[in-house]
Amino acid sequence: MPLALFVAALAIGFEQLVQWRYGPMGIIAIVALTVGIKARNTLISGIGAVILVMLLAQSG
């Protein structure tokens, strides 16, 4: 139980960091990537990954 709580807190913290740093598009990219991976849909996960890469390249 404590491990699950720790993982959930870590995931929420990561989402907040992405939203603070990259805004709503960062959250959309993370959601698309995770939904695509869980659904084994390469199109959706690829779209999420491309959006994340574009956001990372823009900030650098």
Side-chain angles (χ1 to χ4, degrees):
M1 179 68 178
L3 180 63
L5 187 61
F6 175 72
V7 170
L10 188 65
I12 291 172
F14 179 70
E15 287 182 10
Q16 291 296 321
L17 176 69
V18 168
Q19 186 174 14
W20 170 73
R21 182 79 167 108
Y22 301 110
M25 282 304 292
I27 292 298
I28 292 170
I30 292 289
V31 168
L33 187 61
T34 54
V35 165
I37 289 172
K38 288 186 185 236
R40 295 181 187 233
N41 188 336
T42 57
L43 178 67
I44 295 175
S45 60
I47 290 171
V50 167
I51 293 172
L52 275 177
V53 167
M54 290 173 63
L55 287 172
L56 290 171
Q58 180 184 14
S59 68

